[in-house]
PDB file of all heavy atoms in Angstrom:
ATOM      1  N   LEU A1666     -16.346  -5.886  -7.997  1.00 76.00           N
ATOM      2  CA  LEU A1666     -16.006  -4.502  -7.688  1.00 76.00           C
ATOM      3  C   LEU A1666     -14.926  -3.991  -8.631  1.00 76.00           C
ATOM      4  O   LEU A1666     -15.023  -2.873  -9.152  1.00 76.00           O
ATOM      5  CB  LEU A1666     -15.532  -4.378  -6.237  1.00 76.00           C
ATOM      6  CG  LEU A1666     -15.086  -2.988  -5.784  1.00 76.00           C
ATOM      7  CD1 LEU A1666     -16.235  -1.997  -5.897  1.00 76.00           C
ATOM      8  CD2 LEU A1666     -14.567  -3.030  -4.344  1.00 76.00           C
ATOM      9  N   LEU A1667     -13.902  -4.805  -8.883  1.00 77.00           N
ATOM     10  CA  LEU A1667     -12.857  -4.409  -9.816  1.00 77.00           C
ATOM     11  C   LEU A1667     -13.433  -4.179 -11.210  1.00 77.00           C
ATOM     12  O   LEU A1667     -13.061  -3.228 -11.900  1.00 77.00           O
ATOM     13  CB  LEU A1667     -11.770  -5.478  -9.876  1.00 77.00           C
ATOM     14  CG  LEU A1667     -10.900  -5.669  -8.629  1.00 77.00           C
ATOM     15  CD1 LEU A1667      -9.869  -6.762  -8.867  1.00 77.00           C
ATOM     16  CD2 LEU A1667     -10.209  -4.381  -8.227  1.00 77.00           C
ATOM     17  N   ALA A1668     -14.338  -5.066 -11.621  1.00 76.00           N
ATOM     18  CA  ALA A1668     -14.948  -4.932 -12.946  1.00 76.00           C
ATOM     19  C   ALA A1668     -15.778  -3.656 -13.036  1.00 76.00           C
ATOM     20  O   ALA A1668     -15.799  -2.978 -14.070  1.00 76.00           O
ATOM     21  CB  ALA A1668     -15.813  -6.157 -13.242  1.00 76.00           C
ATOM     22  N   LYS A1669     -16.452  -3.302 -11.938  1.00 76.00           N
ATOM     23  CA  LYS A1669     -17.268  -2.089 -11.915  1.00 76.00           C
ATOM     24  C   LYS A1669     -16.399  -0.838 -12.022  1.00 76.00           C
ATOM     25  O   LYS A1669     -16.742   0.112 -12.729  1.00 76.00           O
ATOM     26  CB  LYS A1669     -18.091  -2.055 -10.632  1.00 76.00           C
ATOM     27  CG  LYS A1669     -18.949  -0.803 -10.472  1.00 76.00           C
ATOM     28  CD  LYS A1669     -19.714  -0.823  -9.162  1.00 76.00           C
ATOM     29  CE  LYS A1669     -20.528   0.455  -8.977  1.00 76.00           C
ATOM     30  NZ  LYS A1669     -21.253   0.458  -7.675  1.00 76.00           N
ATOM     31  N   LEU A1670     -15.264  -0.822 -11.306  1.00 78.00           N
ATOM     32  CA  LEU A1670     -14.408   0.354 -11.270  1.00 78.00           C
ATOM     33  C   LEU A1670     -13.501   0.463 -12.493  1.00 78.00           C
ATOM     34  O   LEU A1670     -13.261   1.552 -13.012  1.00 78.00           O
ATOM     35  CB  LEU A1670     -13.558   0.353  -9.996  1.00 78.00           C
ATOM     36  CG  LEU A1670     -14.314   0.421  -8.666  1.00 78.00           C
ATOM     37  CD1 LEU A1670     -13.338   0.387  -7.512  1.00 78.00           C
ATOM     38  CD2 LEU A1670     -15.169   1.682  -8.601  1.00 78.00           C
ATOM     39  N   TRP A1671     -12.962  -0.692 -12.959  1.00 79.00           N
ATOM     40  CA  TRP A1671     -11.953  -0.655 -14.025  1.00 79.00           C
ATOM     41  C   TRP A1671     -12.184  -1.744 -15.068  1.00 79.00           C
ATOM     42  O   TRP A1671     -11.235  -2.213 -15.685  1.00 79.00           O
ATOM     43  CB  TRP A1671     -10.551  -0.832 -13.438  1.00 79.00           C
ATOM     44  CG  TRP A1671     -10.153   0.274 -12.515  1.00 79.00           C
ATOM     45  CD1 TRP A1671      -9.854   1.558 -12.868  1.00 79.00           C
ATOM     46  CD2 TRP A1671     -10.016   0.199 -11.095  1.00 79.00           C
ATOM     47  NE1 TRP A1671      -9.531   2.294 -11.738  1.00 79.00           N
ATOM     48  CE2 TRP A1671      -9.629   1.480 -10.650  1.00 79.00           C
ATOM     49  CE3 TRP A1671     -10.174  -0.829 -10.162  1.00 79.00           C
ATOM     50  CZ2 TRP A1671      -9.410   1.760  -9.297  1.00 79.00           C
ATOM     51  CZ3 TRP A1671      -9.958  -0.550  -8.822  1.00 79.00           C
ATOM     52  CH2 TRP A1671      -9.586   0.744  -8.406  1.00 79.00           C
ATOM     53  N   GLY A1672     -13.434  -2.135 -15.282  1.00 71.00           N
ATOM     54  CA  GLY A1672     -13.731  -3.267 -16.141  1.00 71.00           C
ATOM     55  C   GLY A1672     -13.095  -3.211 -17.513  1.00 71.00           C
ATOM     56  O   GLY A1672     -12.634  -4.216 -18.029  1.00 71.00           O
ATOM     57  N   GLY A1673     -13.047  -2.026 -18.137  1.00 76.00           N
ATOM     58  CA  GLY A1673     -12.474  -1.920 -19.468  1.00 76.00           C
ATOM     59  C   GLY A1673     -11.041  -1.443 -19.474  1.00 76.00           C
ATOM     60  O   GLY A1673     -10.517  -1.108 -20.543  1.00 76.00           O
ATOM     61  N   LEU A1674     -10.416  -1.417 -18.300  1.00 83.00           N
ATOM     62  CA  LEU A1674      -9.094  -0.808 -18.181  1.00 83.00           C
ATOM     63  C   LEU A1674      -8.014  -1.769 -17.716  1.00 83.00           C
ATOM     64  O   LEU A1674      -6.900  -1.330 -17.397  1.00 83.00           O
ATOM     65  CB  LEU A1674      -9.164   0.389 -17.210  1.00 83.00           C
ATOM     66  CG  LEU A1674     -10.131   1.508 -17.609  1.00 83.00           C
ATOM     67  CD1 LEU A1674     -10.220   2.544 -16.495  1.00 83.00           C
ATOM     68  CD2 LEU A1674      -9.698   2.163 -18.909  1.00 83.00           C
ATOM     69  N   PHE A1675      -8.312  -3.066 -17.647  1.00 83.00           N
ATOM     70  CA  PHE A1675      -7.289  -4.018 -17.224  1.00 83.00           C
ATOM     71  C   PHE A1675      -6.109  -3.954 -18.198  1.00 83.00           C
ATOM     72  O   PHE A1675      -6.271  -3.956 -19.409  1.00 83.00           O
ATOM     73  CB  PHE A1675      -7.845  -5.441 -17.173  1.00 83.00           C
ATOM     74  CG  PHE A1675      -8.736  -5.686 -15.980  1.00 83.00           C
ATOM     75  CD1 PHE A1675      -9.456  -6.867 -15.880  1.00 83.00           C
ATOM     76  CD2 PHE A1675      -8.852  -4.768 -14.957  1.00 83.00           C
ATOM     77  CE1 PHE A1675     -10.281  -7.116 -14.782  1.00 83.00           C
ATOM     78  CE2 PHE A1675      -9.662  -5.005 -13.865  1.00 83.00           C
ATOM     79  CZ  PHE A1675     -10.389  -6.169 -13.779  1.00 83.00           C
TER      80      PHE A1675
END
Side-chain angles (χ1 to χ4, degrees):
L1666 178 61
L1667 292 180
K1669 178 181 178 182
L1670 298 179
W1671 297 289
L1674 300 174
F1675 285 172

